[in-house]
Amino acid sequence: MIRIPPRTATDAYFAKMGGSRRLDIVFDIDLGELLEGHHVVARGLETSGAGGVLHYEFVPGVRQHEKDLKGPFFWYWTLSAEDDLGTHYRHDNTGAFDPSGETAAHGSRHLGGPVPRSARWLRVYFTPALEWTPTRSWCRQLHIALPGGHVTETWTDPHQDAE
């Protein structure tokens, strides 16, 4: 676990949007080191509009020299989603992140479709970057109660999995 920095990078992103977008459900959860040397801190969800979006921050931000050294997609962790209604969420993992962030860099990942207003819960599952095996515990799943946003986390301990 890291000391989670303030939500500065995510707040700056939404400020650039001019108030047209916002986090509908806010949380600050360190998902662990889903890529080597960088934690993914989930900041919250947009559930309104065209589709569900998870907002996160890389802590620290991903640097250009890392992309040059490790390859263009070394940072590409994935997610998938499901809800109590059986909604079909695509697993295309589209999104973007700010390549200029230092201490933290804002990113967003689309859930693969809109979250229905009548859904009572949403589960978001995480998988570390392809060629990376975390050496410490990481969050495998968030169970989010809707509409309130109470979050329950499920963790994977790589040392237990090895036994």
Side-chain angles (χ1 to χ4, degrees), residues 47-58:
T47 57
S48 55
V53 179
L54 174 77
H55 289 270
Y56 69 91
E57 293 177 10
F58 282 133

Side-chain angles (χ1 to χ4, degrees), residues 1 27 34 63 73 108 110 144 148 153:
M1 291 288 117
F27 44 79
L34 296 183
R63 311 293 194 277
F73 295 105
S108 61
H110 296 269
I144 304 156
E153 307 162 33

Side-chain angles (χ1 to χ4, degrees), residues 48-140:
S48 55
V53 179
L54 174 77
H55 289 270
Y56 69 91
E57 293 177 10
F58 282 133
V59 178
V62 174
R63 311 293 194 277
Q64 184 61 48
H65 74 274
E66 291 177 289
K67 289 193 235 175
D68 296 341
L69 181 67
K70 298 176 183 177
F73 295 105
F74 84 98
W75 50 265
Y76 195 68
W77 57 275
T78 58
L79 65 74
S80 61
E82 69 175 348
D83 62 33
D84 60 305
L85 302 176
T87 304
H88 173 71
Y89 293 96
R90 295 178 320 279
H91 301 289
D92 48 14
N93 278 282
T94 59
F97 70 91
D98 179 0
S100 65
E102 292 290 324
T103 304
H106 171 264
S108 61
R109 191 64 61 85
H110 296 269
L111 299 180
V115 178
R117 290 184 194 265
S118 57
R120 292 178 299 164
W121 56 260
L122 176 73
R123 281 192 195 116
V124 183
Y125 300 90
F126 303 98
T127 304
L130 208 82
E131 295 184 16
W132 168 245
T133 301
T135 57
R136 297 188 179 173
S137 295
W138 54 279
C139 185
R140 171 171 57 89

